[in-house]
Amino acid sequence: MTNATAVSARRDLSQAPLLVAARGGAPAHPPVWFMRQAGRSLPEYREIRKGTAMLESCMTPDLVCEITMQPIRRHGVDAAILFSDIVVPLAAAGIGVEIVAGVGPVVADPVRTVADVAALPELSLDQVAPVAEAVRLLTAELGQTPLIGFAGAPFTLASYLIEGGPSRNHERTKAMMHSDPRTWHALLGALADIAATFLRAQLDAGVDAVQLFDSWAGALSERDYREFVLPHSKRVLGELADAGVPRVHFGVGTGELLPAMREAGADVVGVDWRIPLDEAVRRLVAADPTAPVPVVQGNLDPALLTAEWSALEREVRRIHAEGKAARGHIFNLGHGVLPDTDPTVITRVVELIHSL
Ligand code: CP3
């Protein structure tokens, strides 16, 4: 598909609050969506997923469309996030990876040597054609609600590939990074290509914004992030610049990394709950006083969705007020919805935010 057809495929949603806020404008109401809004907190999700493995679900367009729509219908959030997973493009390229319930991605043959890296396959657009098809179904069904596409950033993908699964300390990952930087950079380069192709497939099919998840980047020092990670994430985001859609960059525990993550080229900086939004803005401005004041996304602690309503309301109001320090604020959690969250509370939080 050429770029011209890609651009004409995208809906004109210039007034959608999420996109207005992402560009630093004045939205009709404060926009809100939730990371992991499509998933296990919803009984209708658990019902429809019965008997279908996670990765198979992600490659079944009508199922992806239905699951992505569920939180839109229920909560009235200001954006849909494509139902998929960061390891979908790895599996599509032929890398042996499963998503084990309650565990996360598990890799059959972890990537540990220079030969393992050299053997990694590339991803072609046709291998993720079902994802593109799901995007086309969704843009036809969503009306005026924007659709956010996403990919895992090279570092977070590398951690799963090297460790073989979820890791608390990322020790093998950090060991490779420092002991064998050539192999490390070759691996991150290959993963940057895969992430960029996965995002390109979604953009060509019509997504309205993208988020690059570097969920585990907060495990790194700023020095290591800059040397071993930033150039690769920057390349992924740079390759998408021509699409002209907002690019969000998010990680957990990244208070010390926010300026570096912004340098990766993000239009919107995702912030976790450990640092107040006004402090995040202060750090971003201090790091580059000549750049425009940043647009931020975040940052309610997901655990607080289980707190007493009065306590939760106080936190939502605080975050909304702190977000005023930014040029634009997209309300979200500081990480994903926890599986035991009562979905009726999420709906009530959306109503509260829209009333502010
Ligand atoms: O609603 C949405 O946000 C869209 C769907 C989405 C999923 N994964 C679906 C999913 C998104 C955006 C992701 C991204 C993702 N996947 C990230 C980055 C965001 C983050 O949470 O930091 C990461 C690190 C992964 C890897 C991954 N996949 C993990 C850690 C898990 C959870 C393991 C578990 O079961 O506790 C998964 C599985 C997964 N991805 C589920 C869903 C709905 C649960 C599996 C299921 O429902 O069977």
Side-chain angles (χ1 to χ4, degrees):
M1 195 183 265
T2 68
N3 262 338
T5 53
V7 171
S8 62
R10 193 161 297 116
R11 297 167 293 164
D12 174 19
L13 300 178
S14 50
Q15 295 311 307
L18 178 104
L19 300 177
V20 173
R23 298 197 176 94
H29 61 243
V32 53
W33 68 281
F34 298 96
M35 291 183 275
R36 298 292 187 96
Q37 64 189 17
R40 292 166 303 169
S41 67
L42 299 182
E44 59 269 35
Y45 168 77
R46 293 193 293 266
E47 185 59 35
I48 201 168
R49 274 287 321 283
K50 272 185 190 157
T52 313
M54 177 65 190
L55 289 175
E56 188 189 340
S57 308
C58 294
M59 293 302 253
T60 309
D62 54 348
L63 202 49
V64 171
C65 181
E66 171 57 25
I67 294 171
T68 303
M69 290 303 297
Q70 285 175 346
I72 307 304
R73 295 192 200 108
R74 193 190 252 269
H75 304 309
V77 278
D78 294 285
I81 174 117
L82 180 70
F83 178 76
S84 192
D85 195 85
I86 60 167
V87 298
V88 163
L90 303 181
I95 297 169
V97 55
E98 295 283 353
I99 293 182
V100 178
V103 177
V106 176
V107 177
D109 299 309
V111 174
R112 304 264 164 87
T113 65
V114 66
D116 295 339
V117 172
L120 284 174
E122 289 181 6
L123 177 69
S124 64
L125 287 171
D126 57 289
Q127 287 172 314
V128 286
V131 176
E133 177 58 17
V135 169
R136 282 188 287 269
L137 295 176
L138 277 160
T139 55
E141 190 155 337
L142 274 163
Q144 294 299 297
T145 305
L147 175 62
I148 303 172
F150 73 92
F155 171 73
T156 292
L157 294 175
S159 172
Y160 283 111
L161 286 181
I162 297 169
E163 306 291 339
S167 167
R168 182 183 295 265
N169 298 315
H170 309 275
E171 53 265 63
R172 288 190 176 94
T173 308
K174 292 180 179 181
M176 185 200 280
M177 180 185 276
H178 284 271
S179 320
D180 190 356
R182 280 172 73 98
T183 302
W184 172 262
H185 284 295
L187 172 59
L188 263 74
L191 293 171
D193 288 339
I194 289 177
T197 300
F198 189 46
L199 289 167
R200 179 58 65 188
Q202 298 170 53
L203 285 163
D204 285 353
V207 298
D208 307 291
V210 291
Q211 179 156 326
L212 190 64
F213 281 97
D214 211 352
S215 298
W216 312 140
L220 296 172
S221 68
E222 186 190 356
R223 174 195 289 261
D224 285 355
Y225 178 83
R226 284 186 177 279
E227 179 172 352
F228 295 110
V229 175
L230 175 59
H232 302 284
S233 296
K234 194 173 191 166
R235 181 160 72 79
V236 175
L237 291 165
E239 286 185 14
L240 311 172
D242 64 336
V245 308
R247 294 158 297 171
V248 188
H249 198 17
F250 167 78
V252 182
T254 54
E256 302 302 321
L257 303 181
L258 290 175
M261 289 183 80
R262 188 186 195 194
E263 276 175 45
D267 304 294
V268 179
V269 181
V271 183
D272 90 343
W273 69 91
R274 291 173 181 85
I275 159 171
L277 288 180
D278 51 357
E279 171 62 13
V281 170
R282 200 192 59 71
R283 290 185 189 190
L284 287 162
V285 170
D288 189 357
T290 61
V293 174
V295 177
V296 295
Q297 175 175 281
N299 72 343
L300 178 70
D301 185 338
L304 285 173
L305 290 172
T306 65
E308 287 286 328
W309 175 254
S310 59
L312 174 54
E313 176 172 0
R314 195 166 58 233
E315 285 295 287
V316 169
R317 289 181 183 277
R318 173 181 65 77
I319 289 162
H320 174 70
E322 288 169 357
K324 301 242 186 264
R327 191 161 53 94
H329 175 209
I330 298 167
F331 204 106
N332 204 312
L333 302 178
H335 199 186
V337 174
L338 298 168
D340 291 332
T341 305
D342 174 355
T344 64
V345 173
I346 298 180
T347 309
R348 202 169 164 196
V349 168
V350 172
E351 286 164 3
L352 170 60
I353 292 163
H354 283 169
S355 76
L356 293 174

